[in-house]
Amino acid sequence: MDTKSRPLVSVVLAVRNEEHHIEAVLKSLLQQETYNCKLEIIVVDGDSSDSTREIVNRISSADSRIKVLINKWKKTPYAFNLGIQESQGLYICILGAHTVYANDYIATCLEELRVHGAGGCSGREITRPSGDGLQAQLIAWTLAHPFGTSTGSMRTRKAGFADTIPYPIFLKSTLLEVGWYNTQLDRNQDNDLSQRLRARGYKLYITDKTYCEYFVSPTVVALVKYAFKAGFWNIISFRANTSAMSIRHFVPGVFVLVLLLSLPTFIFSMNSPDNVGFWLRFPLLLLGATYCSASISAASQVAIRERSVAALLMPISFLFLHVSYGIGTLFAVVSNAHRPSAKRDRGEWRSLSSP
């Protein structure tokens, strides 16, 4: 395919304070195979306070394919919308800054998009630890396992049509048809957009012919913060677009709720007759036994696969993930959390793209 006939793909990369990752990410994008496309890379920086912008500017000065925009709202959906607005490509590729992409990622996703007649296509997401520490490795294993994030998660899905896809490529006209990213959703904006695409009859496809590597935060504290925010925003996202959320998003909330309801009866059972006390203790004992069995089984699978005794500590990271996630969900319900009152006027965010 000659240069003139290759379509332009506009890569939109949302970043903020990514000085530890951004150079590797951009390197993986600049090394993409482009036998069936041309690339422009639009880096939308969320007004970083570290050296991210300096690194991007240094790399962009040596490669004209990179364009830099500033997102003063500092939120992901604004970054995506700004990038889409400024894009010149026939196709849009929405990517993340914690991820390194295989050299054939964009070319293969573009080809698979056409082959399967899909509205959007992505490769498999492989979860990797950020660094060599034990915490980082446990977190990576935890988030990559179906018990940690469910069989429907983008981290665990196999090839085929899916409800939501990670790091996708779309026809730009398809995105414009269904509307921009919802700027009132700090999280789950991809779920929201995917649902609107599916409601219009578009299919979303994950191919196993290429992949990307997502590097998770390296500490348990970071995992807890991530999980709490994810659980919290699930309620807001559900109220914004009920159809965009699945039952799996609320299982940790139910788990924590049952746990909290079972604790008082367990305590009360201590001073109850044996025949009554057993049944008062039974809900918590059953929940604990079921959860422990499932988490130990999952950890054992990983320990055997990875030949690592350290994986047997995963029940701890599973518990941190699920409890934090569930508490976030319940806190959002109790506090009656809603979307921010920010205006949805596109002109408001369009005025914020000056470098």
Side-chain angles (χ1 to χ4, degrees):
M1 186 180 293
D2 60 56
T3 304
K4 290 183 179 179
S5 62
R6 284 183 292 161
L8 179 64
V9 175
S10 298
V11 174
V12 177
L13 185 67
V15 305
R16 184 167 188 265
N17 293 338
E18 297 288 354
E19 62 183 4
H20 299 297
H21 297 277
I22 189 60
E23 188 159 2
V25 175
L26 286 177
K27 182 179 179 180
S28 74
L29 294 177
L30 293 173
Q31 293 177 343
Q32 289 291 302
E33 298 173 1
T34 55
Y35 62 87
N36 63 352
C37 64
K38 296 177 290 185
L39 293 184
E40 69 168 352
I41 302 168
I42 305 172
V43 180
V44 189
D45 178 60
D47 212 10
S48 293
S49 57
D50 64 3
S51 61
T52 297
R53 198 183 310 175
E54 288 76 12
I55 296 172
V56 173
N57 287 337
R58 171 173 55 80
I59 297 173
S60 66
S61 65
D63 197 309
S64 61
R65 290 177 294 174
I66 300 176
K67 180 179 181 179
V68 183
L69 302 177
I70 304 303
N71 168 26
K72 295 182 180 179
W73 279 103
K74 305 179 184 179
K75 302 295 184 181
T76 302
Y78 284 95
F80 292 158
N81 286 349
L82 289 170
I84 293 169
Q85 177 201 353
E86 295 296 323
S87 65
Q88 301 297 316
L90 180 63
Y91 295 89
I92 302 288
C93 197
I94 304 292
L95 302 183
H98 268 253
T99 309
V100 171
Y101 304 88
N103 289 355
D104 66 345
Y105 187 85
I106 295 173
T108 300
C109 288
L110 176 59
E111 186 173 317
E112 290 286 278
L113 179 80
R114 295 165 172 168
V115 168
H116 295 281
C121 181
S122 73
R124 292 183 300 111
E125 179 184 323
I126 300 174
T127 305
R128 301 293 191 199
S130 292
D132 300 322
L134 176 60
Q135 288 187 63
Q137 184 61 76
L138 285 173
I139 292 167
W141 283 334
T142 296
L143 293 176
H145 196 281
F147 182 69
T149 55
S150 87
T151 56
S153 168
M154 294 185 293
R155 303 180 196 278
T156 60
R157 285 296 302 262
K158 296 181 179 179
F161 292 103
D163 290 342
T164 307
I165 53 179
Y167 310 119
I169 187 169
F170 304 103
L171 265 170
K172 183 177 181 178
S173 59
T174 300
L175 286 182
L176 298 183
E177 177 186 338
V178 299
W180 308 80
Y181 281 89
N182 188 341
T183 55
Q184 292 181 322
L185 293 178
D186 288 2
R187 291 176 180 258
N188 298 321
Q189 62 277 150
D190 52 345
N191 291 334
D192 173 76
L193 179 69
S194 295
Q195 187 279 324
R196 287 186 277 125
L197 284 165
R198 289 185 284 106
R200 290 289 187 99
Y202 292 105
K203 294 182 179 180
L204 306 175
Y205 190 78
I206 298 177
T207 179
D208 58 3
K209 294 182 178 180
T210 190
Y211 67 93
C212 58
E213 296 178 297
Y214 176 82
F215 293 88
V216 297
S217 298
T219 66
V220 172
V221 172
L223 175 68
V224 167
K225 291 180 179 179
Y226 156 80
F228 180 87
K229 289 180 179 179
F232 184 89
W233 273 93
N234 280 350
I235 296 300
I236 299 176
S237 302
F238 180 79
R239 288 169 172 161
N241 184 355
T242 301
S243 300
M245 307 303 291
S246 302
I247 293 175
R248 65 183 175 84
H249 292 109
F250 305 101
V251 170
V254 174
F255 169 69
V256 172
L257 179 62
V258 174
L259 183 64
L260 292 175
L261 293 176
S262 301
L263 280 172
T265 59
F266 185 87
I267 295 172
F268 183 73
S269 72
M270 300 301 180
N271 296 318
S272 301
D274 290 342
N275 59 334
V276 176
F278 171 78
W279 293 107
L280 291 175
R281 290 190 291 272
F282 183 75
L284 185 60
L285 293 174
L286 177 62
L287 179 65
T290 302
Y291 185 86
C292 287
S293 297
S295 63
I296 291 172
S297 175
S300 299
Q301 292 171 8
V302 175
I304 294 171
R305 185 190 71 208
E306 301 293 335
R307 299 181 181 180
S308 173
V309 177
L312 296 177
L313 294 172
M314 285 175 63
I316 299 173
S317 53
F318 279 136
L319 189 62
F320 274 115
L321 171 64
H322 294 148
V323 170
S324 302
Y325 201 112
I327 290 175
T329 297
L330 296 183
F331 184 76
V333 172
V334 172
S335 63
N336 195 29
H338 285 81
R339 294 178 293 172
S341 58
K343 298 178 181 178
R344 298 193 64 182
D345 177 13
R346 291 173 185 162
E348 185 176 4
W349 55 259
R350 284 181 177 177
S351 66
L352 297 176
S353 61
S354 58

